């Protein structure tokens, strides 16, 4: 089946071989989007969704989110925590500057 072949190629050539730089690129664009920089959000969504599709294709009865969790979720959460800490520090700095002027 063509879909089987496509899923296998995507898993073997993209997810297994380059998942670290792929996830890093996704997180970079998500950070940009959160900071108001225009991104290709539909491409980001599709790549992230492919983690779920590949997993559900390989193991229809298993956890469809396992690959997403293993490769992406923790890095996304850490990225989010870092961004929120930066915003909090920036907001505190802005309030301190406003209070002294």
């Amino acid at each position: 089946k063509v879909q089987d072949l496509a899923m296998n190629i995507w898993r073997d050539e993209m997810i297994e071989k380059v998942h670290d730089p792929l996830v890093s690129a996704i997180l970079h664009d998500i950070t940009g989007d959160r900071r108001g920089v225009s991104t290709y959000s539909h491409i980001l969504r599709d790549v992230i969704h492919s983690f779920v599709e590949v997993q559900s294709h390989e193991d229809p009865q298993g956890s469809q989110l396992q690959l997403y969790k293993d490769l992406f979720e923790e890095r996304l959460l850490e990225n989010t925590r870092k961004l929120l800490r930066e915003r909090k520090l920036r907001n505190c700095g802005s309030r301190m500057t406003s209070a002294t002027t």
Side-chain angles (χ1 to χ4, degrees), residues 27-83:
L27 291 173
H28 179 267
D29 282 359
I30 288 172
T31 299
D33 184 67
R34 290 174 172 173
R35 291 182 174 154
V37 176
S38 180
T39 62
Y40 296 101
S41 59
H42 63 285
I43 294 173
L44 297 174
R45 181 196 63 231
D46 291 347
V47 172
I48 294 166
H49 186 70
S50 77
F51 296 154
V52 176
E53 287 183 42
V54 166
Q55 183 67 44
S56 64
H57 181 76
E58 288 180 357
D59 185 12
Q61 304 304 317
S63 171
Q64 294 182 352
L65 296 176
Q66 194 59 51
L67 188 61
Y68 167 87
K69 288 178 179 180
D70 291 346
L71 298 181
F72 185 71
E73 185 177 54
E74 186 54 42
R75 288 179 68 183
L76 174 65
L77 293 174
E78 181 56 37
N79 182 277
T80 302
R81 285 189 287 270
K82 180 181 174 185
L83 182 66

Side-chain angles (χ1 to χ4, degrees), residues 2-12 50 53-54 57:
V2 173
Q3 183 181 10
D4 294 338
L5 180 60
M7 285 291 177
N8 290 336
I9 290 171
W10 180 254
R11 181 198 63 229
D12 295 345
S50 77
E53 287 183 42
V54 166
H57 181 76

